[in-house]
Amino acid sequence: MRFNHLFRVLISIALLVFSQLSRAEPMLNGIGVHQELGREIFIGALFSESLSNDPGTLLRNQQPMRMELKIVSPEGITARRFSRLWIEGLAVNSKADALMAQADNTVAFDAMFKGRLVPNDYVKISHTPGKGVSVTLNDVLLGTIKDENFFSMLLATWIGSVPLSSDYRDSLLKVGDVNTALRARFTTITPSAARVAEVRTWAQGDALITQEAKSSAPKSAATKSSARAKEELIAERPEIKLPAVEIEKPTLDVPAPAAQVAASAAASSVAAKPVAVTQPAPAKVEEEEDEGPALTAQTLLARQFYVSDAIKKIRSKTKYPQRALDRGQAGSVRVAVVIDRNGNILNTNILENSAYEMLNKEALDAVKRSAPFPALPDTISGARFEFTVPMRWTLPE
């Protein structure tokens, strides 16, 4: 009997080990193109061991997953601008306590990218249960984040309540039913050998960045200082709430109450003919330098909290144009805003427009009505500050 019991235990262990070793490679869930000002910036793909069209299911997924993106913008993308995409996405898709908990990990992630990303660069962010989150560029390992929760926060910037764009999120939730031509194009994008060698130098000057999970070991003075800085920031903001995304039908001239975004909300189809949109002149923000002061947990949180407050203020000034409502017009707009240190607007520009001119105009007008914004805190450096505002008008059911 004892022999039989031991035999069954050994068989169970062997099957468990075999199942772990033979786990299926994550499958392509969806693929899409992120655009700004009508120009392609990168092609992104989401892979998961279990396919799904539900953002919540994927965000809670504890199975192997990965996010991949390949740069297609002819001029590439600066490290600062690439970082801002993630930082803003985290700010509007995460709760304040989660931002604080992941601040050091976000700083480590930001520090992995030491220069401009160029066309054909290939970024891969992989979640492997029990091994954390690895980040590679052109198959060169840049670093590892031990906290696995960091992956779902990054993923939320793509498929969460406030994604890069609604179209981009929808394209990642195709449950494998992807555009064949786009998939083929994605596969053929590869970096040159010289570029791969260049990226390897990023890790040669410094030790490979690895953010270890918090332990019970005594904290260093620097770590304690960082923790105190974060506590002071959050103490000044006891009730941080993320702004709602949807703008519902207003009563008279007062914006509707905030409503939580339903991740699966679909834009209503309308018969009205789309109106051509005249784009404002592009903002002169491409002149930003690749080099900038390194982020710290304190400066990161200051930027994220400022963005969250600014977006909340803009949405409180946003209306649903009555004519657009009467005509059944709905859609999403993303506006880039550049301000000076006193909070005055230097430039506004539509990065993603809707099909309807009235909604695009209202997005810009809402930003103007919200000015001036609060002066930048000392923890945010630079003569100007740029952030983007996602807006979404949804017809009442």
Side-chain angles (χ1 to χ4, degrees):
M1 292 292 292
R2 293 179 60 185
F3 175 80
N4 290 338
H5 175 70
L6 179 60
F7 179 76
R8 287 195 296 270
V9 171
L10 292 175
I11 289 296
S12 299
I13 294 175
L15 290 174
L16 178 61
V17 172
F18 177 77
S19 65
Q20 292 296 321
L21 293 176
S22 62
R23 294 190 76 159
E25 175 74 7
M27 298 174 289
L28 180 61
N29 196 82
I31 187 169
V33 181
H34 171 55
Q35 299 185 2
E36 293 181 0
L37 296 172
R39 297 178 298 171
E40 295 183 345
I41 305 300
F42 63 77
I43 303 176
L46 175 61
F47 295 79
S48 177
E49 193 174 76
S50 298
L51 303 182
S52 176
N53 61 359
D54 176 54
T57 298
L58 292 168
L59 291 171
R60 293 189 299 269
N61 196 348
Q62 297 302 310
Q63 298 174 337
M65 298 181 69
R66 69 176 182 271
M67 306 163 66
E68 299 183 3
L69 65 89
K70 296 186 177 182
I71 306 298
V72 294
S73 172
E75 64 272 18
I77 180 171
T78 66
R80 183 181 299 180
R81 183 177 167 206
F82 184 73
S83 171
R84 196 178 70 239
L85 289 175
W86 300 102
I87 290 174
E88 291 184 357
L90 291 172
V92 297
N93 284 286
S94 308
K95 295 181 179 179
D97 56 351
L99 290 176
M100 289 192 63
Q102 296 292 342
D104 292 326
N105 288 332
T106 307
V107 170
F109 176 77
D110 172 76
M112 293 177 189
F113 299 90
K114 301 183 183 300
R116 176 185 288 264
L117 298 181
V118 301
N120 300 328
D121 270 350
Y122 171 33
V123 178
K124 181 166 64 176
I125 305 169
S126 304
H127 168 227
T128 304
K131 296 184 179 180
V133 183
S134 63
V135 181
T136 66
L137 174 59
N138 300 335
D139 289 327
V140 176
L141 181 63
L142 300 183
T144 302
I145 304 294
K146 293 298 183 181
D147 190 339
E148 297 179 12
N149 293 323
F150 187 66
F151 181 85
S152 61
M153 289 184 65
L154 288 180
L155 181 57
T157 68
W158 278 13
I159 65 171
S161 298
V162 192
L164 287 175
S165 75
S166 300
D167 290 341
Y168 183 69
R169 177 179 60 188
D170 293 344
S171 67
L172 298 176
L173 303 175
K174 293 295 187 180
V175 198
D177 184 18
V178 300
N179 182 288
T180 303
L182 183 59
R183 181 173 186 173
R185 179 187 172 197
F186 182 83
T187 303
T188 58
I189 297 174
T190 56
S192 66
R195 175 58 176 170
V196 174
E198 181 183 359
V199 171
R200 287 200 181 100
T201 65
W202 290 9
Q204 291 176 355
D206 303 306
L208 189 66
I209 300 173
T210 302
Q211 180 62 39
E212 300 292 345
K214 295 181 179 180
S215 66
S216 57
K219 295 183 179 179
S220 66
T223 303
K224 290 180 180 179
S225 176
S226 175
R228 281 198 297 270
K230 289 188 286 185
E231 290 173 359
E232 290 172 0
L233 275 172
I234 199 67
E236 298 173 358
R237 306 168 49 83
E239 295 182 358
I240 300 174
K241 296 181 180 179
L242 293 179
V245 177
E246 295 184 2
I247 302 171
E248 297 182 351
K249 182 176 180 180
T251 301
L252 297 180
D253 206 27
V254 182
Q260 183 64 29
V261 176
S264 60
S268 301
S269 60
V270 294
K273 182 179 180 180
V275 178
V277 178
T278 301
Q279 288 283 8
K284 295 181 179 180
V285 296
E286 290 301 323
E287 300 173 0
E288 61 184 347
E289 300 176 354
D290 286 329
E291 298 296 331
L295 279 178
T296 65
Q298 184 179 15
T299 58
L300 168 74
L301 289 169
R303 293 171 68 90
Q304 290 180 319
F305 290 161
Y306 188 94
V307 169
S308 179
D309 283 345
I311 293 176
K312 184 185 298 183
K313 182 177 183 181
I314 292 170
R315 291 209 173 115
S316 71
K317 303 290 186 179
T318 304
K319 307 171 185 178
Y320 207 138
Q322 188 61 48
R323 287 173 59 196
L325 189 63
D326 293 342
R327 296 178 182 181
Q329 297 176 355
S332 298
V333 181
R334 183 178 289 266
V335 180
V337 183
V338 183
I339 61 174
D340 62 20
R341 292 204 60 83
N342 293 322
N344 299 310
I345 295 177
L346 298 177
N347 193 285
T348 59
N349 200 25
I350 293 181
L351 297 179
E352 176 196 0
N353 57 33
S354 75
Y356 304 104
E357 187 175 14
M358 280 186 287
L359 299 183
N360 298 319
K361 182 178 183 300
E362 172 58 23
L364 293 173
D365 289 346
V367 173
K368 294 176 183 178
R369 287 195 294 266
S370 303
F373 295 93
L376 295 176
D378 293 338
T379 44
I380 298 179
S381 62
R384 65 185 186 184
F385 183 71
E386 181 181 0
F387 60 94
T388 59
V389 187
M391 304 183 194
R392 185 178 183 181
W393 287 266
T394 303
L395 294 170
E397 295 182 359

